[in-house]
Amino acid sequence: MPKKKKAAVKKVKVPQRIVMRTGEALVEAEPAWSAAEPEVVIGELDGPVGYAIANLIGDQTKGHSRVFAILNCDVQVKPATVMVSKVTVNNEKYTNILMGTVQAGIANGVLDCVREGIIPASKANDLGIIVSVWLDPSVVDVEIDHKILFETNRAATAKAIRKAMHNEPSIEWLLKHQHEVTHFFHAMGVEGKL
């Protein structure tokens, strides 16, 4: 009787030490105010990213508060994730949207990446993430749909982290497509629309 072949065990490859990886993404829905465009930095807490997180949290700046991404008060996500606003925050409504819907979206995007294995769960206590956050200032002047804003920030955060962890776009892709990609606002300037 022939011997049965053992099924191959697929090993999960945990990345070696992650000193620093970067990524960015843009996710938009129909309303212009819903655009989420985070920039992320990911790395070990005992390296440059961890030191940057400690400095950000310990050196608060008026209008650009640095806060941890949380699911809700008293429930911080892992890897430790610090949000930094790209826009000067000087309005209570804006603050509540940023530190509510957007913060929750970012926190869920981080956990989505852990669940998918993009960030190994075994590294969740060793890594830190800095998310530079864009929230359109017009959100204070319009009626917004918090579900849409939550989903765009969740999806954009996860997309930026995936790109960072996979080193995307690759230098090969960038060199091949450099002349095909035009910066949106540069094009508007060239066309006299700014």
Side-chain angles (χ1 to χ4, degrees):
M1 181 172 186
K3 289 184 179 181
K4 283 187 176 180
K5 289 184 181 179
K6 288 186 179 181
V9 177
K10 187 175 180 181
K11 292 184 179 180
V12 177
K13 184 177 179 186
V14 177
Q16 293 180 353
R17 186 169 171 76
I18 299 168
V19 176
M20 186 177 342
R21 300 218 181 152
T22 63
E24 63 76 41
L26 171 64
V27 173
E28 302 171 283
E30 183 58 33
W33 51 258
S34 70
E37 194 170 6
E39 295 158 349
V40 302
V41 176
I42 302 170
E44 305 286 339
L45 287 173
D46 65 349
V49 174
Y51 300 136
I53 287 172
N55 283 321
L56 287 168
I57 290 294
D59 188 23
Q60 296 291 328
T61 303
K62 184 177 180 179
H64 291 273
S65 297
R66 292 82 180 246
V67 298
F68 284 113
I70 58 175
L71 290 177
N72 194 9
C73 295
D74 204 33
V75 186
Q76 178 183 346
V77 299
K78 298 290 177 97
T81 302
V82 174
M83 296 171 38
V84 180
S85 178
K86 296 179 191 181
V87 175
T88 302
V89 179
N90 57 11
N91 177 293
E92 185 178 349
K93 182 177 179 182
Y94 187 93
T95 301
N96 290 336
I97 295 166
L98 180 68
M99 304 300 183
T101 300
V102 173
Q103 186 179 41
I106 289 168
N108 278 274
V110 168
L111 291 177
D112 290 344
C113 287
V114 175
R115 182 172 288 104
E116 292 173 26
I118 302 300
I119 297 173
S122 63
K123 302 277 289 175
N125 291 316
D126 301 325
L127 295 175
I129 302 172
I130 300 169
V131 181
S132 184
V133 183
W134 165 256
L135 175 61
D136 191 321
S138 74
V139 297
V140 299
D141 300 320
V142 298
E143 188 174 325
I144 65 168
D145 182 327
H146 288 269
K147 290 179 182 177
I148 291 172
L149 191 60
F150 173 87
E151 288 303 329
T152 57
N153 279 278
R154 181 179 188 168
T157 299
K159 183 178 179 182
I161 290 170
R162 281 186 207 101
K163 289 170 75 174
M165 296 303 286
H166 290 118
N167 295 311
E168 294 174 349
S170 69
I171 189 61
E172 294 80 15
W173 187 95
L174 288 166
L175 293 173
K176 182 177 179 181
H177 298 281
Q178 176 182 1
H179 301 293
E180 301 167 16
V181 179
T182 303
H183 192 286
F184 179 77
F185 288 106
H186 168 64
M188 286 181 68
V190 169
E191 295 167 8
K193 296 179 181 176
L194 286 181

